[in-house]
Amino acid sequence: MSDHASDSARADSSLPEAFFASAAAHAERTAFRAEGGRGRAYTYAEAAAAVRRFARELRAQGVTRGTEVGLLAENRPEWGIAHLAILAAGGTVVPIDGTLKPQEMGYLAGHCRLARVVASRAFDKPARELPGVTVIPLEGVWEAGGPSPDPAESGAAAPADVAVLIYTSGTTGTPKGVQLTHRNLLANLGAIQDSLRFDESDVFLSVLPLHHTFEMTCGLLTPLMTGCTVVYARALRSKEILEDIGRSRATVMCGVPLLFEKMYHSIRRGIAAAPPGRRAAFRTMYAASGAAWQVGIKLGKKLFAPLRAKAGLDSIRMFVSGGAAMPAAITRFFNLIGFDFMEGYGMSECSPVISVNRPDNIRFGSVGPPLRNVEVRIEGADKSGVGEITVRSEANTIGYRDNPEATAALMRDGWLFTGDLGRFRHGHLWITGRKKNVIVSAAGKNIYPEELEEQLLASGRVQECVVFGRAKAGKQGEEVRAIIVPALDNLAAELGIDPENPDADRVRQAIEDTVQDVNNRVAAYKRITGCEIREKELEKTSSKKVKRYLYQ
């Protein structure tokens, strides 16, 4: 089938229909394995039957076409089963980050008016604290017995229906609900498969949180639509990941730069600890691999087979990195020692993949060519070709839920404005910076400074502030910092101090207490790790906006 014909077929389908077709084609193959390969396994036939039974139970509890259902659970096979069951019942999945604070979960549930949440035992308590929400246990619902419902029962969803509502904080500090349809996601899945070429022999090790669009699309839906096996890692610790790779014989893993950075340093430490002769041999082979790479030969696959085996990574053929920028030196290292290590680029609003390096077309430091069904244009490019990255694709979101202003700012004349800066070179997209103020943690999570600024200002102790990211010395990601101008008049009244000659120690303590209070009310990855207190007003533009670039 041609790409065009394949896309047309997907446009007339839904995610459950695509999954059930894959399950029928791979019925006896293993779809899921829990606990790094040691836990429960489901064949595709068993997973499809479980999806249908759970969908039947959801419909009995009032889920119908367009009903939003929260999903709050740890990574496990049943997360994917529940996800597909909600879709098969005609509903919309609202993945919930289990690290959010109660207030943050409450806002999310209130905004989309959640009435039902599927929750595992581990998250039963926070789920039951959500007002007006009925909790549907994740465990055991599809185990109730009885015949599997006829496949015809699972046709409630239409391609244009919203399949997933992903919440991501906006630059105003108010979380936004990204609406992704069945058509959006299937368009992305088809193009990912064409670019990276998986088949039913592949085993994916799933390590990233499933509520992230990256892992949901690339680590769950992509392998399921191809007949691959998904194995859930026991933890994010390097030791357990390596054990899980060895036990499951995983061939593919998606991750964020922080994870790959740790693996890189671990391998480098092993090389540094080797006898002088072996270190010299490594350097010679590494140079030879680099020279061969220049003429299109992947010599490292053969040269470094023993090293990959000793590191416990001999089964891996492909790593895919996303969520944050990866240093080119690390991408180069993994490729030259014999892995296909591809860096990609995307955002939730694009389902999420926009571009990715291909196994036969890798350029270190780039995020690869756009997917075949994605158009990328550089808007307002300067003399060096750098401008804002804009995207046109059938995978683009239909907009933010109940937020026409933000949708209008995101989408213009069919193009999605990413807020990121980049340029094209050799047919590859290169990210050069961010137009937005977003801070990216070492784990690839986005942190929006305005959300934290809003809470600091609400305390009454802060006159003005700016929150920004600062690169960590020798590490990936950014730490969250703040510059704060105290509201001395308010503090004088509260603390009984002279605003003209304030007690500096007491002012500092009050501000630090305020920062700590904000930190206690947000997810751990968003917390401010340090602040600077200034007496003078922050510099502003003529429109009275803080000149943020002066303080980063």
Side-chain angles (χ1 to χ4, degrees), residues 195-196 320 342-345 353-358 367-371:
S195 297
L196 299 183
V320 182
M342 275 82 68
E343 184 177 5
Y345 165 67
V353 182
I354 294 170
S355 66
V356 66
N357 281 275
R358 315 296 202 262
V367 293
L371 299 184

Side-chain angles (χ1 to χ4, degrees), residues 151-445:
E153 290 186 26
S154 302
D161 288 349
V162 176
V164 183
L165 186 61
I166 300 280
Y167 274 87
T168 178
S169 294
T171 56
T172 63
T174 303
K176 293 177 290 192
V178 179
Q179 301 176 107
L180 300 176
T181 67
H182 292 261
R183 181 175 289 122
N184 291 154
L185 289 162
L186 284 168
N188 208 234
L189 292 172
I192 292 168
Q193 165 63 12
D194 291 343
S195 297
L196 299 183
R197 301 168 199 158
F198 310 114
D199 62 43
E200 64 181 22
S201 66
D202 277 310
V203 177
F204 279 62
L205 185 69
S206 179
V207 299
L208 301 177
L210 279 162
H211 61 80
H212 282 193
T213 322
F214 180 30
E215 187 65 15
M216 181 193 71
T217 300
C218 300
L220 173 67
L221 297 176
T222 292
L224 289 185
M225 299 306 171
T226 321
C228 305
T229 297
V230 181
V231 176
Y232 290 98
R234 291 169 296 156
L236 269 172
R237 293 183 292 271
S238 298
K239 181 176 182 292
E240 282 88 345
I241 288 175
L242 289 174
E243 290 174 353
D244 293 347
I245 288 172
R247 182 180 299 105
S248 66
R249 304 303 294 165
T251 61
V252 180
M253 189 176 80
C254 299
V256 293
L258 178 63
L259 175 62
F260 294 120
E261 180 191 38
K262 289 181 177 179
M263 293 172 63
Y264 166 80
H265 287 303
S266 176
I267 296 171
R268 279 293 192 187
R269 282 194 298 270
I271 294 167
R278 288 175 58 188
R279 292 201 304 271
F282 174 85
R283 288 193 295 271
T284 299
M285 291 191 298
Y286 192 74
S289 181
W293 185 275
Q294 297 299 316
V295 294
I297 300 173
K298 295 183 177 182
L299 191 59
K301 289 186 179 296
K302 182 177 181 179
L303 288 179
F304 292 104
L307 183 149
R308 296 195 304 276
K310 185 174 182 180
L313 298 169
D314 54 311
S315 65
I316 292 285
R317 71 175 183 87
M318 182 186 297
F319 286 126
V320 182
S321 178
M326 170 65 73
I330 295 180
T331 302
R332 174 183 172 85
F333 176 83
F334 278 111
N335 277 289
L336 293 191
I337 66 170
F339 299 103
D340 283 335
F341 188 103
M342 275 82 68
E343 184 177 5
Y345 165 67
M347 58 189 296
S348 295
E349 289 85 344
C350 297
S351 294
V353 182
I354 294 170
S355 66
V356 66
N357 281 275
R358 315 296 202 262
D360 57 355
N361 186 14
I362 298 171
R363 289 187 179 271
F364 310 139
S366 86
V367 293
L371 299 184
R372 61 165 174 76
N373 57 2
V374 175
E375 294 180 71
V376 173
R377 183 179 69 185
I378 304 300
E379 183 75 14
D382 61 18
K383 291 181 179 179
S384 64
V386 174
E388 183 172 1
I389 299 167
T390 64
V391 179
R392 184 164 64 183
S393 166
E394 197 171 39
N396 284 358
T397 178
I398 60 171
Y400 296 117
R401 173 63 56 85
D402 297 333
N403 197 336
E405 295 83 6
T407 300
L410 178 75
M411 305 288 295
R412 284 169 260 167
D413 299 323
W415 290 88
L416 185 148
F417 285 68
T418 67
D420 294 316
L421 300 174
R423 65 181 176 187
F424 275 108
R425 198 169 67 205
H426 309 300
H428 283 229
L429 182 62
W430 302 73
I431 309 298
T432 59
R434 293 190 302 277
K435 188 175 181 180
K436 299 176 182 178
N437 300 324
V438 66
I439 303 165
V440 181
S441 74
K445 291 190 174 185

Side-chain angles (χ1 to χ4, degrees), residues 486-513:
L488 291 178
D489 288 341
N490 292 352
L491 286 170
E494 177 186 344
L495 304 176
I497 61 176
D498 181 359
E500 299 300 322
N501 188 25
D503 183 329
D505 290 339
R506 295 186 67 189
V507 169
R508 169 163 289 280
Q509 187 61 56
I511 295 300
E512 289 177 351
D513 290 345

Side-chain angles (χ1 to χ4, degrees), residues 89-151:
T92 296
V93 182
V94 184
I96 301 175
D97 181 353
T99 68
L100 294 177
K101 295 294 184 181
Q103 307 96 302
E104 295 171 309
M105 284 191 193
Y107 176 86
L108 182 155
H111 183 264
C112 65
R113 298 173 290 282
L114 275 184
R116 299 166 187 82
V117 171
V118 175
S120 67
R121 290 190 186 98
F123 293 98
D124 182 74
K125 185 176 183 294
R128 293 190 183 281
E129 289 176 349
L130 295 172
V133 167
T134 297
V135 177
I136 302 170
L138 179 66
E139 288 83 6
V141 174
W142 51 83
E143 306 279 10
S148 176
D150 188 277

